[in-house]
Amino acid sequence: MSRRAEDLASVLGELLPPVRYRHVVVTFPIRMGIRHRVRGNPGLLCRLTRLAVGVLSRWLQVQARGHRRRRDELKPARPGLVEAWQTFGDALNFHPHLHILASDGVFLEDGRKRCARGVLDRQVPPWSDPEV
C-alpha cells in the first residue's frame, strides 16, 4: 500500500463511525456499450453513480427494516456510503467502475444503528497474506 493510501485509510478510520463496512465494486460490461458512452459523455458516470448508490441505499434500508410494526420508525434511516470513481484498469485501459464503502446497515436519526440482514450480514473470513 502506498503512503498516500495509508494516510487516507487512517483519516477515514478516524472519521467514520466504528461499525462494519463492506467494499462494493460496480462495473459496467463492455457488451452493453456503457463504457464507450461514458467516455463520450462524462456526466453519464455521475448519473450511473447516483443510480448505483440509490439502489444500494434502498436495498440496505429494506434489509434493516425487520418487523412490519417498526417500518415507519426506520423509514428515515440512511446507510453510510463513501463512493469513488476509477476510470482505468490494471493495464491502464479505459475501464470506468465504482468503489463503494457501505456500512453494514443503516443509521437512524437519533444516532442508533440497525444491522442489515442478508448478503452483507454474512461472515466473510479474513484474507491471509498469500491470498492478498
Side-chain angles (χ1 to χ4, degrees), residues 37-70:
R37 291 182 187 140
V38 166
R39 182 181 286 187
N41 181 6
L44 181 59
L45 190 56
C46 291
R47 293 195 308 241
L48 290 170
T49 301
R50 281 195 304 266
L51 177 66
V53 166
V55 167
L56 184 59
S57 295
R58 284 189 297 277
W59 185 82
L60 284 167
Q61 288 170 340
V62 167
Q63 293 301 311
R65 289 229 170 109
H67 195 273
R68 66 177 178 267
R69 291 184 185 155
R70 300 186 66 195

Side-chain angles (χ1 to χ4, degrees), residues 7 15 18 25 29 37 48 53 58 62 64-65 70 75 80 82 87-88 92-93 95 117 122 124 128:
D7 290 344
L15 293 177
V25 180
R37 291 182 187 140
L48 290 170
V53 166
R58 284 189 297 277
V62 167
R65 289 229 170 109
R70 300 186 66 195
K75 206 172 228 178
V82 177
T87 56
F88 56 89
L92 297 180
N93 57 333
H95 175 64
R117 301 168 302 160
R122 188 178 65 216
V124 178
S128 62

Side-chain angles (χ1 to χ4, degrees), residues 59-110:
W59 185 82
L60 284 167
Q61 288 170 340
V62 167
Q63 293 301 311
R65 289 229 170 109
H67 195 273
R68 66 177 178 267
R69 291 184 185 155
R70 300 186 66 195
R71 288 188 181 160
D72 290 337
E73 169 189 326
L74 296 171
K75 206 172 228 178
R78 299 286 181 256
L81 299 170
V82 177
E83 72 259 359
W85 299 337
Q86 190 168 352
T87 56
F88 56 89
D90 291 338
L92 297 180
N93 57 333
F94 186 70
H95 175 64
H97 57 283
L98 307 172
H99 292 270
I100 303 173
L101 184 66
S103 63
D104 197 9
V106 293
F107 295 95
L108 301 172
E109 290 178 331
D110 61 4

